[in-house]
Amino acid sequence: MQRDASQTGSRNRFYRIGFFTILTLFTVLILTIVIIVSRLFAEGESQSLPPATSDGNLAELVTFQLDREQTNVLLTDLVSEDEMPFQFQLEEDGIHLTGELDVLFSEVDIHMMFDPLVRDDGSLVLQANSLSAGVVSISASNALRMFNQFAELPEWIHIHPEDEAILLELNEMDELSPYGLQFKQVALADDQIELSLIRKETATEN
């Protein structure tokens, strides 16, 4: 009887240890998920779109026109797939962004469509129009926030989750310095994209 009692006590201790081990692991898992979700959807600092500003030191050298296919080739050359988890594609109905996001240990295919707006300073605002994210429920602002957090963006791409917008400033491209590009017109339905090659006046003094 004493031996049976000892075995029963050992078995109970084993179950208790196993229970608390599983409980601890489960708690750690829940905390990890909470931390990840908090990081993904944290508001962070304000990233509202800045106002368009004109630079008097920019000299326009030449203006040229491209169609959608030619512009897509240009964007593909400018955007490295190794650096960013998404790509742009100009279509007749809008500018499409496709890519993948790691959401809670799984990859989610993101497809967003934007309406383009050329600003007075030659930059281009892409305003989110629609979003599909597989079976995951996610807003455009949260998708852009995650892209902004985990992608190594070139200096000329600025993501503004609060406004559900992306700002493209081709005149900030270091690779083209002291030159740059500015948008003059983006008429996707007419298959016409107009760009200007510019140069900073101050660069001629060096």
Side-chain angles (χ1 to χ4, degrees), residues 8-26:
T8 301
S10 298
R11 205 162 35 239
N12 289 338
R13 281 196 301 273
F14 173 77
Y15 288 142
R16 281 198 298 269
I17 292 173
F19 171 77
F20 285 113
T21 300
I22 294 175
L23 181 62
T24 301
L25 291 175
F26 182 74

Side-chain angles (χ1 to χ4, degrees), residues 49-53 117-126 156 158 166-172 181-184 186:
L49 275 168
T53 56
L117 172 65
V118 177
R119 305 208 299 179
D120 293 338
D121 60 358
S123 61
L124 183 68
V125 172
L126 307 181
W156 51 274
H158 308 280
I166 297 176
L167 178 64
L168 305 183
E169 295 184 295
L170 299 185
N171 63 331
E172 292 187 359
L181 294 171
Q182 289 184 334
F183 290 95
K184 301 286 286 186
V186 177

Side-chain angles (χ1 to χ4, degrees), residues 25-182:
L25 291 175
F26 182 74
T27 303
V28 171
L29 178 62
I30 293 297
L31 288 175
T32 301
I33 292 176
V34 169
I35 292 172
I36 292 175
V37 171
S38 300
R39 182 185 174 191
L40 290 179
F41 300 110
E43 290 297 330
E45 299 179 358
S46 175
Q47 298 184 21
S48 298
L49 275 168
T53 56
S54 58
D55 189 344
N57 293 324
L58 297 180
E60 185 176 309
L61 302 180
V62 63
T63 299
F64 54 94
Q65 286 190 345
L66 302 172
D67 57 25
R68 292 192 302 270
E69 182 178 354
Q70 291 169 330
T71 307
N72 285 331
V73 172
L74 175 64
L75 287 175
T76 300
D77 290 340
L78 293 178
V79 177
S80 171
E81 294 182 1
D82 295 334
E83 294 180 348
M84 295 195 300
F86 60 83
Q87 62 180 4
F88 293 109
Q89 185 77 16
L90 275 66
E91 302 290 348
E92 185 176 358
D93 58 346
I95 297 179
H96 295 251
L97 177 149
T98 56
E100 290 183 346
L101 283 177
D102 291 328
V103 180
L104 298 181
F105 313 111
S106 64
E107 290 185 347
V108 177
D109 291 328
I110 298 290
H111 182 190
M112 303 181 70
M113 188 174 74
F114 297 85
D115 295 324
L117 172 65
V118 177
R119 305 208 299 179
D120 293 338
D121 60 358
S123 61
L124 183 68
V125 172
L126 307 181
Q127 190 67 53
N129 183 321
S130 64
L131 164 70
S132 64
V135 296
V136 176
S137 177
I138 184 174
S139 67
S141 60
N142 282 331
L144 290 176
R145 187 171 291 112
M146 285 188 283
F147 277 131
N148 198 34
Q149 286 181 343
F150 297 110
E152 296 181 10
L153 301 174
E155 70 280 356
W156 51 274
I157 297 181
H158 308 280
I159 295 182
H160 301 277
E162 293 182 359
D163 298 294
E164 298 186 356
I166 297 176
L167 178 64
L168 305 183
E169 295 184 295
L170 299 185
N171 63 331
E172 292 187 359
M173 296 180 61
D174 290 338
E175 294 83 357
L176 297 179
S177 183
Y179 300 95
L181 294 171
Q182 289 184 334

